[in-house]
Amino acid sequence: MRKLLLLALLLPTLTQALAQGLGTVAGTITDKNSLAPVAGATVRIEGTPLVTVSDSLGRFRIGGIPPKTYAIKITSIGFSELILYNTVITVGNELNLTLQLETMITKLAAVTVSSSRRTAIAASLETPLSVQKLTTEEIRSNPGGNFDVSRVIQALPGVGGTAGSVGGYRNDIIIRGGAPNENVYYLDGVEIPIINHFATQGSAGGPTGLLNVSFLEEVKLSSSSFDARFDNALSSVLQFRQRNGNPNQVQGNVRLSATELAATLEGPLSSKTTFLASARRSYLQLLFKAIDLPIRPNYWDFQYKINHRINKKTTLTLLGLGAIDNFSFGAPREATPEKLYILDATPAIQQWNYTVGLSVRKQIPGGFWNLALSRNMFDNAIEKFDGNDTQNPTKRRTDINSQEIENKLRFDVNKTLRGLKLSYGGVLQYVKSNNNSFIRIRQELRDGAGNLLQPAVVASYRSNINLWRTGAFIQLSKRFAEDRLSLSGGLRTDLNSFTETGNDPFRTLSGRVGLSYVLADKWSLNASIGDYYKLPVYTILSFRDNQGRLVNRNTDYTRSTHVVIGTEFLPAPTTRFTLEAFYKRYDRVPVSIRDGISLSNLGGDFNAVGNEPVRTNGKGYSYGMELFAQQKLSKRFFSTLSYTFFISRFSGADQKMIASAWDNRHLLSFIGGYKMGKNWEIGLKFRYQGGAPFTPFDLALSQLNYLTLGTGVLNLSQLNSQRLGAFHAGDLRIDKKWNWKKTTFDLFLDMTNFYSAKSPAFPQYTFKRNETNTAFLTTNGQPVNVNGANAIPLILANEDGTLIPTLGFIVEF
């Protein structure tokens, strides 16, 4: 930290000694519908005389640009104007863009569907509403985001996080009251099941994302009205579009902060081939040690993309993403009940995962086709012992070793025929799931006289299954009434070879319809309705009882029906307002046979979800409204404001609708940024979430089981009957860039929760300890009994807030 401060003081002197260079922007421009190159497109750097025209391959390049932030305007006859706001030009890296232009909408006599309105809008013909987009610069400059895509999107409308479980420090993505495992993720058209380190198997989330922001050109979040090409999504589809490597020169960047070291390199391999590659090393374990937290998360991640132009009409892409995670512990310098609880309750985790993919995209008359072949694997090992006594097998609480392997082949055709957009295709998957698990649910306990107080309840099994999954879709979209009315409809079905009803294509036949109507220039009315299906997670499918029987083959696809209506107002090319109301209904939700609760209430911790017998007879619903306002960079200022109100309910075995674990009711987020002179930038973010529901402890069972479980036992008859206080926090970020002859240095200060607000999280059950926290106090002065009979219960409030400052830098070369 001292070295960074010293370097910051010396930089002005260094800057005077080095001449400032000039930046360059380059890229390719294609037709979004056909992927054909757009020749003759004009590319202009706004506020300067710099302009160029794309060549026959859609390529362009502009040099000699003074480094700062610009808007870049792209125009071409027959296409809607495209303006890229908040585009940062530096000296260290040539900015390389992959741009797609949309066909211009007809101008009406009474209502002008202006081409400029396509600039701020995020919706498309296929997805007319419930969609948001983020550029890479918006992700990089997000206060408190720490270059983490998973954390940044929590500022979008309808998106919440699990503030109740671990004080807002997880990346669970909760969309409009749905569970974290209801989302799917795609990287350049290849599905990636995991986007976070230390992911919760059977759910999602984790403390930090694993995607490299330097690779990303755009992030698109659809929270309803999904295109029929996407399967297994109930709440959202998150698409990450990567840029191509620089075809003109080798370049890279290094990012160092208090939490990580990351390096990225890119460039040409030949005249037709480019590459992007990166590696990142975590220093979270050092940060947590410095603030005296006993957990030590440590990870590596790797990412690459190779793009090869086979010929003028065919492109081959290779991509990969992988991570190695190790979650261990260290003794705190100052022992407190809260820190000792973390040591006793949190399992050790060893994980690794990867996704590799190959895709071929070929232009055909009127459109293009995609072929994607991919493989992903997730290896998860979770272990926990009583008192962390790893040398004594009888102290074992949890021992899970599992793998999930998917091999996928996707093919789709996309064509435009006389204004009708047609997409169709299918997917074939071969899946393997291995699960070797020992889970002590309850330990046998006896009183001093040897009388049985509680029998042992243990789940212990070894399982491996394989199955085939298939799916097919068709989507049709067209504009009518002189382009004032847009209609889109899709049909999809999915099958599998494992569940008893999995081969019935009509059981998952799902239709969806979306429409958009231009009420007036700058105003539109949008609506959609659709059914969506999701296969139970592999931990459910592979579960066996203690006799080795696969007891969950009778499970069914979960169904969610969405109804959404909204309006969009675009008063200027840089400004956008949306207002939407939504309703989601759930059927066939997995419900625990053992506990009688919906599994949609689980997934906000670091264990696994689904290792138990279930019935898919649960129901649920979520409804609400959301408001979103966005101001793209204009006159040095940019901002977003979103507010969502929603109610989320799910039923268990008793079919009684109660508040779900994600029923925060209120979500409010504001992000603002200001570009000052001399490459200074400041950003501010404020987040607010209503109090999360939680379940009180069963005090008798908690006292009986605490020493053998490490946690209290919840009173499930009062599931989610209480609420935490509201969660709020403010984040601040300051950036300063120096551009030298061929290098850019970006120094940043990122302060998460800068005003140290309390962060309400679930209460923690433990026993009182002595003043030195070396032993439990007891009612009789004797050592604590295993059944806790002489212990003194204590419930920890668990609402501390921590200011986390991060000082770091990025060097581009």
Side-chain angles (χ1 to χ4, degrees), residues 41 75 93 95 145 152 169 178 198 226 242 264 331 336 359 362 409 446 470-471 494 562 579 654 671 677 713 762 768:
T75 57
N93 283 175
L95 180 62
V152 171
Y169 296 115
F198 307 103
F226 316 136
Q242 299 182 110
T264 301
T336 66
S359 67
K362 181 177 176 62
L409 176 66
R446 297 179 180 271
T470 57
D494 291 282
H562 294 203
L579 177 64
D654 60 2
I671 298 176
V713 178
F762 296 152
K768 283 187 178 181

Side-chain angles (χ1 to χ4, degrees), residues 161 165 170 231 251 316-317 328 335 367 388 444 474 535 575 620 675:
S165 59
R170 276 178 60 92
D231 64 300
Q251 61 185 33
L316 170 69
T317 299
S328 58
N388 294 309
E444 179 183 293
I474 185 170
L535 185 70
T575 310
K675 301 267 188 177

